[in-house]
Amino acid sequence: MADRRAPTPQQLVARERELVERLRASCRAYSPIVFATSLSVEDMVLTEVICRERLPIGLFTLDTGRLPAETLALIERVERHYDIRITRYAPRPEAVADYVREYGIDGFYDSIAARRACCRVRKLEPLGRALAGQAAWITGLRAAQSVTRVGLAPRAWDAEHGLEKLSPLIDWSEGEVWAFIRAHQVPYNPLHDQGYPSIGCAPCTRAITVGEDIRAGRWWWEQPETRECGLHRRAEHDAPSP
């Protein structure tokens, strides 16, 4: 069950101070460093701190070609709000065409293999391009988000891409995330107010009902233990925080 309890103002201030220091320490330890934002509510917390503190962290997103209109609109809203540019990485058109030819435009519903193939084309290959030449990348992962993320470390070696992977919100609760968003009036995806706690590609995301796990709306036709796109593999080697 997700922890939706709001922290006290004093607790939130302490958590925010800790987050700022985690990000500053990451910048001291690694250069160049980038933040992979999916525009999730967790990622909006990190965007707020990175931009407010003027940290030397590049921002990018994976524009899969199947994102909800609300997510695309939020990208532009965030760029205006913070006066920044978020670099977009899209799948290669020829790879998308090959996928559609083999599986069909929505073939990911038919099998786990077909869904993972789609994620490889639309997410994993663009991610590889985005991380090329970087020393570290930052994610908005939280350990409490799903059964596939329990036990994740705040820092891990991403062997596949050859760089450090940092998750400074790993021990934050859902309540702390939303308290931060409201306290700082941070822009967020309006789909969150329509029952979408976790938002990915439009065909693979649905609203959830009261009592469901917050990741239940992602790839809902699969079992919980397979509901990852491959961006966050568990084969990484844990390491202590910098």
Side-chain angles (χ1 to χ4, degrees):
M1 177 73 69
D3 186 355
R4 297 179 173 86
R5 293 172 297 178
T8 66
Q10 294 79 9
Q11 289 172 330
L12 184 60
V13 167
R15 290 299 260 164
E16 184 175 342
R17 186 181 302 118
E18 180 184 50
L19 176 59
V20 171
E21 180 49 38
R22 285 180 179 179
L23 289 170
R24 285 177 175 165
S26 296
C27 292
R28 291 192 295 268
Y30 308 107
S31 180
I33 183 171
V34 289
F35 167 41
T37 176
S38 67
L39 287 297
S40 69
V41 68
E42 291 85 4
D43 290 345
M44 292 313 307
V45 170
L46 293 171
T47 299
E48 168 73 17
V49 174
I50 289 169
C51 293
R52 186 185 68 205
E53 300 295 323
R54 299 181 181 276
L55 299 176
I57 300 172
L59 278 72
F60 75 87
T61 194
L62 304 179
D63 186 348
T64 65
R66 303 298 300 269
L67 296 179
E70 292 85 352
T71 302
L72 295 173
L74 180 59
I75 294 173
E76 296 183 1
R77 182 183 173 195
V78 168
E79 289 180 331
R80 292 193 302 269
H81 184 83
Y82 294 107
D83 191 23
I84 60 171
R85 300 298 296 177
I86 299 175
T87 303
R88 304 188 195 194
Y89 287 87
R92 298 191 186 281
E94 62 274 17
V96 173
D98 289 343
Y99 177 87
V100 172
R101 188 161 42 248
E102 181 173 355
Y103 296 103
I105 186 66
D106 291 338
F108 39 79
Y109 293 127
D110 296 334
S111 69
I112 294 175
R115 196 271 296 167
R116 287 177 173 167
C118 186
C119 289
R120 280 196 300 273
V121 168
R122 296 186 181 274
K123 292 185 175 183
L124 302 188
E125 192 280 330
L127 177 68
R129 283 185 273 127
L131 297 183
Q134 301 295 325
W137 66 301
I138 294 171
T139 81
L141 293 178
R142 292 190 300 109
Q145 285 172 324
S146 74
V147 296
T148 61
R149 296 178 180 181
V150 173
L152 288 174
R155 179 164 71 95
W157 175 250
D158 183 344
E160 182 172 356
H161 299 104
L163 76 172
E164 296 288 343
K165 178 179 175 182
L166 313 173
S167 300
L169 293 179
I170 199 70
D171 56 351
W172 276 48
S173 69
E174 184 180 354
E176 289 171 331
V177 168
W178 279 108
F180 181 99
I181 293 292
R182 296 186 179 104
H184 296 285
Q185 298 184 316
V186 177
Y188 64 88
N189 197 318
L191 288 175
H192 289 305
D193 295 330
Q194 300 174 37
Y196 291 76
S198 179
I199 304 166
C201 292
C204 300
T205 305
R206 65 163 175 84
I208 66 171
T209 58
V210 176
E212 281 192 293
D213 182 82
I214 62 172
R215 294 275 292 180
R218 301 294 298 280
W219 306 294
W220 62 91
W221 61 93
E222 296 183 15
Q223 295 300 310
E225 60 270 17
T226 68
R227 293 176 189 168
E228 288 285 359
C229 60
L231 294 180
H232 307 298
R233 299 178 185 277
R234 293 304 305 273
E236 297 153 341
H237 301 291
D238 293 348
S241 297

